[in-house]
């Protein structure tokens, strides 16, 4: 498995959105012209593939892509978010890693499976976020899909464990960074562990209503396979792919082989001294209630 595998369905995903190569090239050219006038944006570090995936994730709304590009680059330059961009994970050694599974569904959805391994390291929410963001850097440049199915396997976590690690401000940052900065587009969210539902009321008030409607709870993976195609799941989740641990090891290799490239991606941020109208977007911290979820 390599990063280029995640762009194999590029043309088919465009067609799913009724877009041709010419349509996409035209939109990218418009964005490039706009970026030339935004001296604070690191245009030389943003490839066409990044713009194409931003277009996909924002339903080819050029104005939304402009807003998301601003957020992506500007948030990373703010001191508040610096802590989330310092840790580069080794996927198989993390307490939790949101593993992109290699096979898209028939409707071109990408499945990300996050299992909490309490036997590895003490779980820390900040480390969780800072481990997920480097992966987002790869996905927003290589992964052509039509939305994501997120699976959170919390079978090893207790209510006490969850409550002791929960921090509302960090959770708000997760939403702002993933949905606002990286344009993640959740199609479904599946949580394995009914216990989580009992403490869900803690985070429910800060979740966008459209996101709430996409969340499903399961006792185990048996009911999960009724909603998620088994051919796209690991064999230890009732699926047909290799095990989650085997897939994680392949992600270890991807991170190791591309660590210099990843650092460059993580350093793709705005230069606020070059912004024509002076520093802006400081208000982005804590604006998660305004996020628009498709």
């Amino acid at each position: 498995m390599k990063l280029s595998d995640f762009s194999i369905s590029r043309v088919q995903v465009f067609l799913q959105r009724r877009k041709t190569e010419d349509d996409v090239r035209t939109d990218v050219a418009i964005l490039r012209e706009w970026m030339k006038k935004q001296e604070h944006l690191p245009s030389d570090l943003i490839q066409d593939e990044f713009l194409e995936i931003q277009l996909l994730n924002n339903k080819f709304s050029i104005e939304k892509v402009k807003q998301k590009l601003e957020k992506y680059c500007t948030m990373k330059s703010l001191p508040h978010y610096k802590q989330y961009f310092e840790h580069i994970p080794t996927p198989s050694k993390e307490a939790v890693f949101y593993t992109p599974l290699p096979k898209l569904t028939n409707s071109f959805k990408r499945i990300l499976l996050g299992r909490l391994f309490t036997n590895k390291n003490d779980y820390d929410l900040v480390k969780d976020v800072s481990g997920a963001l480097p992966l987002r850097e790869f996905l927003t440049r290589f992964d052509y899909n039509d939305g994501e199915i997120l699976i959170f396997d919390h079978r090893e976590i207790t209510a006490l464990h969850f409550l002791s690690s929960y921090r509302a401000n960090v959770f708000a940052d997760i939403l702002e960074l993933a949905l606002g900065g990286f344009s993640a587009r959740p199609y479904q969210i599946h949580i394995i562990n009914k216990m989580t539902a009992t403490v869900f009321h803690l985070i429910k008030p800060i979740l966008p209503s459209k996101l709430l409607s996409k969340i499903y709870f399961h006792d185990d993976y048996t009911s999960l396979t009724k909603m998620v195609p088994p051919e796209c799941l690991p064999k230890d989740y009732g699926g047909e792919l290799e095990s989650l641990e085997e897939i994680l090891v392949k992600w270890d290799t991807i991170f190791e082989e591309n660590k210099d490239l990843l650092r460059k991606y993580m350093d793709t941020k705005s230069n606020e001294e070059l912004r024509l109208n002076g520093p802006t977007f400081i208000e982005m911290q804590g604006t998660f209630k305004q996020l628009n979820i498709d």
Side-chain angles (χ1 to χ4, degrees), residues 136-148:
R136 279 286 160 201
E137 296 285 4
F138 282 141
L139 297 182
T140 200
R141 289 169 173 81
F142 292 93
D143 193 13
Y144 289 80
N145 62 59
D146 194 34
E148 296 178 348

Side-chain angles (χ1 to χ4, degrees), residues 35 40-42 46 50 68-78 181 268-272 275 284:
M35 291 176 70
H40 60 291
L41 296 181
I46 295 177
F50 181 100
K68 294 297 181 71
L69 276 172
E70 279 281 12
K71 279 199 169 189
Y72 168 78
C73 294
T74 306
M75 291 172 75
K76 292 168 72 176
S77 71
L78 299 177
T268 302
K269 61 185 73 172
S270 63
N271 184 342
E272 291 302 306
R275 190 185 290 272
M284 279 193 285

Side-chain angles (χ1 to χ4, degrees), residues 197-210:
T198 65
V199 294
F200 187 62
H201 67 279
L202 287 175
I203 61 175
K204 188 174 180 179
I206 68 173
L207 293 176
S209 58
K210 285 188 178 180

Side-chain angles (χ1 to χ4, degrees), residues 68 72 85 117 180 190 210 232 274-275 282:
K68 294 297 181 71
Y72 168 78
F85 291 92
F117 293 95
H190 298 274
K210 285 188 178 180
C232 301
L274 297 179
R275 190 185 290 272
I282 301 302

Side-chain angles (χ1 to χ4, degrees), residues 150-162:
L150 306 176
I151 302 172
F152 299 94
D153 183 354
H154 289 171
R155 284 177 293 177
E156 293 187 27
I157 194 172
T158 65
L160 181 61
H161 196 168
F162 181 90

Side-chain angles (χ1 to χ4, degrees), residues 84 125 129 162 166-176 200 203-204 206-207 288:
Y84 301 120
L125 191 57
V129 180
F162 181 90
Y166 175 72
R167 290 156 63 183
N169 62 321
V170 176
F171 197 84
D173 287 344
I174 295 173
L175 293 179
E176 191 65 52
F200 187 62
I203 61 175
K204 188 174 180 179
I206 68 173
L207 293 176
F288 48 87

Side-chain angles (χ1 to χ4, degrees), residues 23-220:
D23 294 331
V24 177
R25 275 195 293 268
T26 298
D27 287 351
V28 168
I30 292 171
L31 289 168
R32 285 289 180 201
E33 283 300 309
W34 171 78
M35 291 176 70
K36 287 179 182 178
K37 301 173 184 178
Q38 314 301 317
E39 296 181 9
H40 60 291
L41 296 181
S43 301
D44 57 322
L45 297 177
I46 295 177
Q47 320 96 304
D48 286 354
E49 291 83 359
F50 181 100
L51 297 177
E52 289 180 354
I53 291 172
Q54 288 285 320
L55 285 163
L56 269 171
N57 289 345
N58 290 283
K59 296 186 175 181
F60 289 88
S61 167
I62 289 176
E63 290 307 309
K64 281 187 178 180
V65 172
K66 290 178 182 178
Q67 293 170 14
K68 294 297 181 71
L69 276 172
E70 279 281 12
K71 279 199 169 189
Y72 168 78
C73 294
T74 306
M75 291 172 75
K76 292 168 72 176
S77 71
L78 299 177
H80 174 75
Y81 296 104
K82 183 181 178 181
Q83 64 178 324
Y84 301 120
F85 291 92
E86 295 179 343
H87 174 62
I88 295 181
T90 301
S92 68
K93 299 186 184 304
E94 302 300 315
V96 63
F97 182 77
Y98 300 94
T99 311
L101 302 183
K103 184 178 177 62
L104 291 173
T105 69
N106 289 338
S107 58
F108 301 103
K109 302 296 186 293
R110 174 71 64 199
I111 300 173
L112 281 79
L113 201 168
R115 180 178 177 183
L116 179 61
F117 293 95
T118 55
N119 63 321
K120 290 192 175 178
N121 301 305
D122 290 336
Y123 177 72
D124 177 79
L125 191 57
V126 172
K127 192 174 181 181
D128 180 348
V129 180
S130 59
L133 293 180
L135 174 65
R136 279 286 160 201
E137 296 285 4
F138 282 141
L139 297 182
T140 200
R141 289 169 173 81
F142 292 93
D143 193 13
Y144 289 80
N145 62 59
D146 194 34
E148 296 178 348
I149 297 174
L150 306 176
I151 302 172
F152 299 94
D153 183 354
H154 289 171
R155 284 177 293 177
E156 293 187 27
I157 194 172
T158 65
L160 181 61
H161 196 168
F162 181 90
L163 292 170
S164 64
S165 63
Y166 175 72
R167 290 156 63 183
N169 62 321
V170 176
F171 197 84
D173 287 344
I174 295 173
L175 293 179
E176 191 65 52
L177 286 163
L179 303 178
F182 286 91
S183 292
R185 191 154 62 93
Y187 172 70
Q188 292 176 347
I189 300 174
H190 298 274
I191 301 173
I192 307 175
N193 187 343
K194 282 289 185 66
M195 176 283 302
T196 309
T198 65
V199 294
F200 187 62
H201 67 279
L202 287 175
I203 61 175
K204 188 174 180 179
I206 68 173
L207 293 176
S209 58
K210 285 188 178 180
L211 195 62
L212 285 171
S213 66
K214 301 173 186 285
I215 298 175
Y216 304 88
F217 291 94
H218 305 271
D219 287 320
D220 52 40

